[in-house]
């Protein structure tokens, strides 16, 4: 339980930096508070942070700190934050390269800056190169991530990985941009993680990488605010339902669940009616709709990438926000929480012989 509390502390840090980044970009406290609400009530945060309690939030806290200092023009702090973030999770290095190219147009200097951000990771690998625990915890996971990335390909006369195509296009976009304004900075982060999540066979909890950047893009843009929030809300909820439909088990490990606050209300295996949310979906024949919900999620990511594109957002048209759209988020969070708790705690009817 204490380790899950540590994750919550780093999540609070990410909330703070999301608020600071939006305030820095818009100089509008109202939009900064809206960003805090949208981020904290996101299904893309609820599942990875409060259900799975994955460590990606630690790396994200340093990445967001780095993005803030990047926007402020603090080059050394930007470099230091990503220097620390990379060993926590190597995905940070993917974001660093286009951000560097957005300001540094000298390829060789950009390469040196980017390469130096991996210095702590190299030192770490040298220090623990003979540790079997390190090899299992990091090397094996990195290898699995690369296998999943390269395995998510389509055949168009040759094997093509859509995400890598998008990433190369994003690097070119960053290099060709003439100004590193905040819209381009946030959009690069959103486009990077959006294409990564949508077009790669990943661990389902990596959806968290996308959450802060989608929220910041939405709140830092004036146009299509209502449509953006509605699409994002439906998209992330569809993602959660879709991964459960396709067999992602949540709270499956009894050793972990037994150490949490509601452990004494979880019945023994022989008395469980469902046991997991996946089994609940299978029992009610909802698992057949996995492809439907996954398609809705990908469509929502593509729609948001279009609606938040910097060239479109330069035409400022303020929109008033409907509270009904905002209230949909806690309602969906409540539905997901109730289903999750019920599926794990429901008891089957026993017959005494």
């Amino acid at each position: 339980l204490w380790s899950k509390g540590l994750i919550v502390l780093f999540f609070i840090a990410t909330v703070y930096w999301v608020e600071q980044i939006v305030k820095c970009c818009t100089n509008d406290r109202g939009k900064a508070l809206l960003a805090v609400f949208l981020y904290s009530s996101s299904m893309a945060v609820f599942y990875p942070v409060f259900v799975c309690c994955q460590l990606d939030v630690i790396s994200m806290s340093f990445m967001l700190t780095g993005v803030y200092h990047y926007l402020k023009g603090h080059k050394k702090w930007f470099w230091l934050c990503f220097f620390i973030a990379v060993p926590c999770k190597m995905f940070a290095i993917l974001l660093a390269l286009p951000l560097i190219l957005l300001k540094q147009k000298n390829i060789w200097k950009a390469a040196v800056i980017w390469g130096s951000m991996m210095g702590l990771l190299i030192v770490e690998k040298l220090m623990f190169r003979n540790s079997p625990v390190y090899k299992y915890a990091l090397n094996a996971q990195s290898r699995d991530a690369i296998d999943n990335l390269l395995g998510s390909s389509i055949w168009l006369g040759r094997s093509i990985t859509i995400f890598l195509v998008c990433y190369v296009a994003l690097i070119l976009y960053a290099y060709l941009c003439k100004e590193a304004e905040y819209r381009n900075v946030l959009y690069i982060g959103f486009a990077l993680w959006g294409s990564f999540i949508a077009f790669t066979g990943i661990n389902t909890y990596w959806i968290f990488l996308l959450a802060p950047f989608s929220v910041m893009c939405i709140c830092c843009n004036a146009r299509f605010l209502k449509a953006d929030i509605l699409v994002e809300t439906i998209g992330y909820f569809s993602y959660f339902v879709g991964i459960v439909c396709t067999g992602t088990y949540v709270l499956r490990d009894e050793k972990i669940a037994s150490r949490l606050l509601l452990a004494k209300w979880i019945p023994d295996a022989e008395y469980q009616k469902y046991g997991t949310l996946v089994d609940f979906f299978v029992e009610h024949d909802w698992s057949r709709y996995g492809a439907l919900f996954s398609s809705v999620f990908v469509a929502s990511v593509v729609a948001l990438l279009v609606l938040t594109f910097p060239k479109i957002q330069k035409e400022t048209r303020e929109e008033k926000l409907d509270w009904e759209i905002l209230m949909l988020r806690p309602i969906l969070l409540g539905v997901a929480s109730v289903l999750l708790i019920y599926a794990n705690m429901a008891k089957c009817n026993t017959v005494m012989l």
Side-chain angles (χ1 to χ4, degrees):
L1 186 60
W2 71 267
S3 61
K4 292 181 179 291
L6 181 64
I7 298 300
V8 173
L9 290 178
F10 276 98
F11 166 71
I12 293 172
T14 64
V15 172
Y16 172 78
W17 288 116
V18 165
E19 189 262 347
Q20 289 296 306
I21 290 170
V22 174
K23 188 189 297 184
C24 172
C25 293
T26 64
N27 199 28
D28 187 332
R29 181 162 176 76
K31 285 191 174 181
L33 293 177
L34 174 63
V36 169
F37 172 77
L38 294 179
Y39 177 62
S40 302
S41 61
S42 174
M43 285 297 300
V45 171
F46 168 76
Y47 167 63
V49 176
F50 296 104
V51 178
C52 291
C53 293
Q54 290 296 318
L55 300 177
D56 302 85
V57 67
I58 298 176
S59 177
M60 180 57 71
S61 65
F62 289 107
M63 278 194 276
L64 291 176
T65 308
V67 170
Y68 174 80
H69 288 294
Y70 181 93
L71 291 168
K72 285 289 190 178
H74 305 155
K75 296 179 181 180
K76 292 181 179 179
W77 282 106
F78 162 70
W79 179 88
L80 180 61
C81 290
F82 274 81
F83 182 74
I84 299 172
V86 170
C88 296
K89 205 77 171 185
M90 280 192 64
F91 294 141
I93 206 67
L94 295 177
L95 177 60
L97 181 57
L99 291 183
I100 293 169
L101 289 173
L102 197 58
K103 289 186 176 181
Q104 179 55 259
K105 304 305 179 183
N106 185 307
I107 299 297
W108 294 111
K109 289 183 179 180
V112 170
I113 296 171
W114 188 57
S116 66
M117 288 178 173
M118 292 182 272
L120 191 57
L121 178 65
I122 295 172
V123 172
E124 175 189 280
K125 286 183 175 293
L126 291 174
M127 289 179 61
F128 300 103
R129 62 185 182 277
N130 295 322
S131 170
V133 176
Y134 179 84
K135 290 180 180 179
Y136 170 77
L138 294 178
N139 288 355
Q141 292 187 20
S142 297
R143 184 172 60 252
D144 291 342
I146 293 173
D147 291 341
N148 289 336
L149 176 62
L150 298 179
S152 303
S153 59
I154 60 174
W155 184 260
L156 293 174
R158 58 187 55 83
S159 183
I160 298 175
T161 302
I162 299 177
F163 166 68
L164 293 180
V165 174
C166 294
Y167 188 59
V168 171
L170 193 61
I171 290 173
L172 289 174
Y173 172 80
Y175 182 73
L176 295 174
C177 277
K178 295 181 179 179
E179 53 185 347
E181 66 168 357
Y182 71 85
R183 287 192 180 93
N184 288 325
V185 173
L186 299 180
Y187 188 81
I188 283 173
F190 181 33
L192 169 63
W193 302 127
S195 58
F196 179 68
I197 303 299
F199 303 126
T200 305
I202 58 163
N203 292 326
T204 54
Y205 49 79
W206 287 345
I207 184 68
F208 177 71
L209 296 168
L210 180 58
F213 289 94
S214 63
V215 167
M216 291 187 296
C217 264
I218 289 171
C219 293
C220 289
N221 293 313
R223 297 187 69 187
F224 314 121
L225 184 61
K226 290 186 288 187
D228 287 346
I229 294 175
L230 183 60
V231 169
E232 188 252 20
T233 303
I234 294 173
Y236 285 151
F237 185 76
S238 297
Y239 178 85
F240 178 75
V241 176
I243 61 175
V244 176
C245 286
T246 53
T248 297
Y249 285 90
V250 179
L251 292 180
R252 187 181 187 184
D253 192 333
E254 295 180 0
K255 293 181 179 179
I256 295 178
S258 64
R259 300 175 184 176
L260 302 181
L261 295 176
L262 302 180
K264 63 181 180 180
W265 286 284
I266 299 178
D268 294 333
E270 61 268 25
Y271 299 111
Q272 291 179 351
K273 186 175 183 179
Y274 304 109
T276 67
L277 192 55
V278 171
D279 296 320
F280 176 84
F281 273 38
V282 171
E283 180 71 20
H284 292 84
D285 201 26
W286 295 352
S287 56
R288 67 168 70 181
Y289 302 111
L292 170 63
F293 287 105
S294 297
S295 299
V296 171
F297 165 70
V298 173
S300 71
V301 171
V302 173
L304 285 173
L305 286 172
V306 173
L307 292 173
T308 59
F309 188 67
K311 295 292 185 182
I312 295 176
Q313 291 297 334
K314 284 187 176 180
E315 299 177 21
T316 304
R317 299 176 188 174
E318 290 285 348
E319 282 189 350
K320 291 185 178 180
L321 188 59
D322 294 333
W323 286 101
E324 293 84 355
I325 296 177
L326 294 181
M327 290 307 298
L328 180 62
R329 299 174 77 87
I331 291 173
L332 292 179
L333 275 180
V335 170
S337 300
V338 169
L339 286 176
L340 179 61
I341 294 172
Y342 175 73
N344 282 273
M345 296 186 176
K347 295 182 179 180
C348 59
N349 295 323
T350 58
V351 178
M352 300 297 294
L353 297 178

